[in-house]
Amino acid sequence: MKHIFLALVTALTLSAQANNGSQLWFSGYRTAKPQAHVSCKLSTPTAQIAVGELTNYYRSDARVQLSLVKDKTLGTDGFRVTVAPSGEVTVQATTDRGLLYGAYELLRQQELSPDGPQAVTSVPAYKHRILNHWDNMDGSIERGYAGQSFFWGPATNPQRWQEYGRACASIGLNVAVINNVNASPRVLGTEALQRTRDIADALRPYGMRVALAINFSSPAALGGLPTSDPLDPAVQQWWKAKANEIYSLIPDFAGFLVKANSEGQPGPQDFGRTQADGANMLAAALRPHKGIVMWRSFIYAPNDPDRAKQAYNEFKPLDGQFADNVIIQVKNGPIDFQPHEPYTPLFGGMALTPVMAELQVAMEYLGQERWLTYLGPQWQTFLQQPLDNCAYNLQHPKTPRTTIADLTTHYRESAIAGVANTGANTDWCGSIFNQANWYAFGRLAWNPDTDPAEIAREWVALTVRPALTDEPDAALAEELCGNVQAMMMQSWQATVNTMMPLGLHHIFAGDHHYGPEPWYAPEGTRVDWTPPYYHKADLQGIGFDRTQATGTGATAQYPKPYADLVENSATCPEACLLFFHHVPWDYPMGNDMTLWENLCVRYGNGLQIIRNYQIDWQALAEYTDPEFHGLVMAKLRQQAHDARIWHDGCLLYFQSINHLPFPSFTEPMEYNLDELKQWTEDMRSTRH
């Protein structure tokens, strides 16, 4: 393994001069000659990578000692950094993975702290810190915005696998689900499992384990059985044999991710069985190997006319029926990775079943690879959501959980997942700023209490500051980096305002989910795949009535006092108003403007902030590496153009329904509605 790592280091060094995003947040590592004296008695591949990283990139002339200790408080992945008065630095952990994470912490401190290494004890909040990849076996990626898969397809790239493992280890991630949840049965075939073994071998030295998304019909589709019924003994035996085969190749295989009976995927309901029947059958096959089942709750079956209620309706009655190595993987919101939506009531609503959060790093609904939308604030808002009086706390009054993060971190098999945004493109994520969301997910998966502003500051210091080629004085560099951090911190709300303010949701263009198409409702299309189903704009008002008093009753799925808060339009947070209420266009808001006026204000403010990104970024032009600066500026110009499409498209469409004049402060429209409808049609042939 040592010669493989050295080859990787050489490749990274040779490409260091091209500041094109390929180096991710490692680009500052090569600004001075390393001087460290690193010692470690452990000779495992993982420990030697830790030694190599510090030997090659730690610039202090202090001695650094890596050592294993017996300390239950550190768990299996935690570490402790101590600094002696002499300046000697010690990194302690109970495993070689912990030593590697500690080494990356030292390198991060080096780039962030002018005062030298700092003593710290750090233990991850989640046992399983997972990236879900939507990569297909033909090399394509569903909702992929950064090129082809580097896991699948005809070509293999072991160096890319190692670079990926290094990036994940540097931010504390430890599991990769390497294929699409819309899984092909072939992923469990001999050839695919051999590829999976090779990927696992490349990632293992970086503390990463692999998992696979599976197709529930594999016993019939791949194994030739007449059924895939989870209660059929032959089917159960097929899965046990398949698990044995996998673990013979990959002893540390993490487990299965399952999307069942959703969007056409097969599942246990095809045989009259429950979601628990299907999950428990797989759990039994994995149990001897200590594997886990991550069973997605993203199901919208016709069990209720309100899609927002359907996952809760499906899984709440099964609470307590799942095996203890099953985790229900729940999207943060009840619809589908929207720019903003309330939390899914399964968090706290499942009193007896472990749940884990699924966040989307890939920005399918937030501008994809074209927009600067830093998601740290969105994820923190979700993770810190209070769970007062939830079903879990009523069931466990002596050990209540105060927030979603608190709830999801305490399980024996605690986990958090992010849908990845990586591909084979040079810049990994389709744009340099999108790398920040990969970085932020890892940092929050390690510690969900971390301030997203601090994470943004870290990423800017690691990624943007090294591109300041003219070496401005420290004060100027700090000011420039602070401006970039400020851009990032306002970007999520700017995106929400530009796309779907005040609780509007899912008014994206059909198929590609990039631009606006609030009018999209082709004949014969499933109604909950069309924007009018969600915004329900008519002459009287706009918004989806989910109240118990007059609507679908979705508010009843939440615990009090949150349910009471959102039930009443007068107390409902403005960010969720149109998610829970259908309100008149002249509804008076807290700022003494009507709802219609507020929509116009929000769309206008979002557009203006996004335009200003170009001004802020241009201020770095004379100091920044030209290639780096140009790549970012091209994206910001595209975002400003497309934000205008959102502004004009949504306001013109809603005005065509309410027939109200635009307020005097509204910026004149640049397009007409027919032009915008044609734009979305043209986009359909070029976007995913």
Side-chain angles (χ1 to χ4, degrees):
M1 178 63 206
K2 186 175 181 180
H3 71 280
I4 296 176
F5 173 70
L6 291 175
L8 173 58
V9 170
T10 300
L12 291 170
T13 303
L14 289 174
S15 61
Q17 299 303 314
N19 206 327
N20 52 14
S22 61
Q23 301 307 306
L24 296 167
W25 43 89
F26 299 110
S27 54
Y29 282 13
R30 285 160 290 280
T31 57
K33 184 177 180 180
Q35 306 174 64
H37 305 279
V38 186
S39 62
C40 181
K41 294 181 180 179
L42 196 63
S43 59
T44 65
T46 301
Q48 289 307 301
I49 289 176
V51 170
E53 292 281 29
L54 292 172
T55 300
N56 284 286
Y57 305 123
Y58 197 54
R59 298 189 294 272
S60 169
D61 59 1
R63 293 188 176 276
V64 181
Q65 180 179 347
L66 309 180
S67 61
L68 295 183
V69 294
K70 294 182 178 180
D71 186 342
K72 292 182 179 180
T73 65
L74 295 179
T76 57
D77 288 354
F79 59 85
R80 179 179 294 108
V81 175
T82 57
V83 185
S86 64
E88 181 175 347
V89 179
T90 301
V91 179
Q92 296 177 323
T94 64
T95 64
D96 54 2
R97 294 192 308 276
L99 294 179
L100 182 60
Y101 298 140
Y104 285 122
E105 172 63 21
L106 274 184
L107 291 171
R108 184 162 38 246
Q109 287 186 9
Q110 172 178 260
E111 305 305 318
L112 300 174
S113 174
D115 301 324
Q118 306 294 309
V120 62
T121 298
S122 187
V123 179
Y126 294 96
K127 180 178 179 180
H128 307 286
R129 305 173 299 279
I130 306 165
L131 279 182
N132 290 176
H133 292 265
W134 286 358
D135 296 30
N136 300 312
M137 297 183 67
D138 63 1
S140 64
I141 303 177
E142 183 172 338
R143 307 299 180 190
Y145 311 111
Q148 294 290 97
S149 170
F150 51 77
F151 290 131
W152 303 102
T156 60
N157 190 346
Q159 180 178 313
R160 187 75 165 186
W161 301 342
Q162 294 161 23
E163 292 173 358
Y164 166 82
R166 181 186 189 228
C168 288
S170 75
I171 52 176
L173 298 174
N174 65 353
V175 178
V177 182
I178 60 175
N179 67 304
N180 194 353
V181 289
N182 297 319
S184 166
R186 292 191 301 115
V187 79
L188 295 178
T190 300
E191 183 178 352
L193 288 180
Q194 290 173 346
R195 172 74 67 92
T196 302
R197 175 201 59 199
D198 294 343
I199 295 169
D201 289 346
L203 297 185
R204 186 175 297 110
Y206 294 93
M208 292 282 290
R209 296 182 299 152
V210 300
L212 289 173
I214 59 97
N215 185 294
F216 198 81
S217 68
S218 293
L222 183 68
L225 298 184
T227 182
S228 294
D229 183 348
L231 299 191
D232 186 291
V235 171
Q236 296 171 356
Q237 183 56 42
W238 187 91
W239 280 109
K240 290 178 181 179
K242 183 56 66 175
N244 292 339
E245 178 187 357
I246 292 170
Y247 282 94
S248 70
L249 295 170
I250 311 166
D252 58 353
F253 182 73
F256 293 145
L257 173 65
V258 189
K259 177 180 179 179
N261 293 119
S262 174
E263 297 183 322
Q265 292 299 302
Q269 292 176 341
D270 300 342
F271 309 97
R273 313 304 185 187
T274 69
Q275 303 284 344
D277 292 333
N280 293 344
M281 179 265 295
L282 293 173
L286 294 175
R287 183 181 300 282
H289 311 284
K290 300 181 179 180
I292 61 172
V293 175
M294 297 159 280
W295 192 272
R296 295 177 91 229
S297 71
F298 183 59
I299 292 170
Y300 46 102
N303 59 31
D304 193 284
D306 183 357
R307 175 173 163 181
K309 296 173 61 180
Q310 292 168 3
Y312 185 95
N313 290 345
E314 185 84 25
F315 281 87
K316 176 63 175 175
L318 299 174
D319 191 18
Q321 298 182 29
F322 291 92
D324 61 5
N325 59 330
V326 174
I327 313 174
I328 306 303
Q329 183 165 309
V330 186
K331 291 188 178 185
N332 58 285
I335 299 298
D336 186 10
F337 296 138
Q338 297 299 287
H340 187 274
E341 54 184 315
Y343 75 98
T344 303
L346 285 173
F347 294 105
M350 298 287 275
L352 303 171
T353 305
V355 293
M356 60 183 284
E358 178 180 327
L359 309 174
Q360 194 184 59
V361 186
M363 300 216 320
E364 175 185 352
Y365 295 100
L366 288 121
Q368 299 171 8
E369 86 287 8
R370 296 185 175 189
W371 287 46
L372 160 56
T373 310
Y374 171 57
L375 297 180
Q378 183 199 48
W379 296 336
Q380 188 197 51
T381 298
F382 159 72
L383 289 167
Q384 300 307 321
Q385 169 67 46
L387 292 178
D388 302 336
N389 207 40
C390 69
Y392 180 91
N393 288 341
L394 295 177
Q395 183 72 31
H396 305 84
K398 294 183 179 181
T399 55
R401 300 295 160 181
T402 59
T403 65
I404 288 176
D406 185 31
L407 174 75
T408 55
T409 57
H410 91 280
Y411 298 114
R412 178 174 62 87
E413 297 289 350
S414 63
I416 188 171
V419 178
N421 61 352
T422 56
N425 282 8
T426 299
D427 63 12
W428 289 89
C429 299
S431 80
I432 291 167
F433 268 113
N434 276 13
Q435 297 174 7
N437 290 326
W438 182 8
Y439 183 88
F441 173 73
R443 298 292 281 147
L444 285 169
W446 188 277
N447 179 4
D449 294 329
T450 307
D451 184 350
E454 175 63 20
I455 296 172
R457 187 187 74 85
E458 290 180 8
W459 182 83
V460 171
L462 295 170
T463 308
V464 178
R465 183 161 184 159
L468 301 181
T469 55
D470 289 347
E471 299 183 1
D473 63 68
L476 177 57
E478 189 69 22
E479 179 183 349
L480 294 173
C481 289
N483 291 343
V484 177
Q485 180 197 30
M487 289 168 58
M488 294 172 65
M489 288 304 296
Q490 64 184 335
S491 63
W492 171 50
Q493 190 58 57
T495 296
V496 171
N497 283 347
T498 307
M499 292 182 174
M500 278 161 278
L502 301 177
L504 284 173
H505 51 291
H506 225 312
I507 60 174
F508 295 95
D511 302 331
H512 57 75
H513 296 166
Y514 181 74
E517 202 169 15
W519 51 83
Y520 179 76
E523 186 177 351
T525 300
R526 179 171 165 163
V527 65
D528 58 0
W529 287 357
T530 67
Y533 168 84
Y534 296 97
H535 64 67
K536 299 196 182 303
D538 55 27
L539 188 60
Q540 286 70 44
I542 185 172
F544 199 122
D545 186 353
R546 293 189 165 99
T547 65
Q548 298 175 63
T550 57
T552 66
T555 57
Q557 294 183 340
Y558 292 92
K560 295 176 179 291
Y562 187 83
D564 292 339
L565 183 75
V566 297
E567 172 74 15
N568 187 338
S569 63
T571 58
C572 183
E574 286 188 354
C576 296
L577 179 64
L578 301 182
F579 189 94
F580 288 112
H581 297 273
H582 188 274
V583 299
W585 296 105
D586 61 357
Y587 180 82
M589 304 283 282
N591 59 0
D592 295 326
M593 292 185 182
T594 66
L595 173 72
W596 174 235
E597 290 170 332
N598 271 275
L599 279 176
C600 293
V601 166
R602 296 296 181 101
Y603 276 111
N605 286 351
L607 174 60
Q608 189 56 52
I609 290 172
I610 288 171
R611 282 174 176 157
N612 288 341
Y613 295 161
Q614 298 172 79
I615 299 172
D616 295 334
W617 189 252
Q618 185 60 33
L620 277 72
E622 65 177 295
Y623 306 108
T624 312
D625 174 89
E627 181 176 11
F628 183 90
H629 188 272
L631 289 170
V632 172
M633 183 59 84
K635 297 289 186 180
L636 297 179
R637 287 173 179 149
Q638 184 71 60
Q639 181 176 358
H641 173 273
D642 295 350
R644 183 80 211 201
I645 300 293
W646 273 96
H647 174 276
D648 291 9
C650 293
L651 290 182
L652 285 171
Y653 172 71
F654 292 136
Q655 188 198 46
S656 75
I657 293 176
N658 64 28
H659 307 300
L660 294 172
F662 290 123
S664 59
F665 54 75
T666 307
E667 188 172 325
M669 302 294 119
E670 199 170 300
Y671 301 94
N672 63 52
L673 201 52
D674 289 337
E675 290 173 327
L676 296 169
K677 289 181 177 181
Q678 186 58 52
W679 185 87
T680 59
E681 286 297 327
D682 294 341
M683 287 290 288
R684 222 180 303 283
S685 63
T686 60
R687 306 301 294 172
H688 294 272

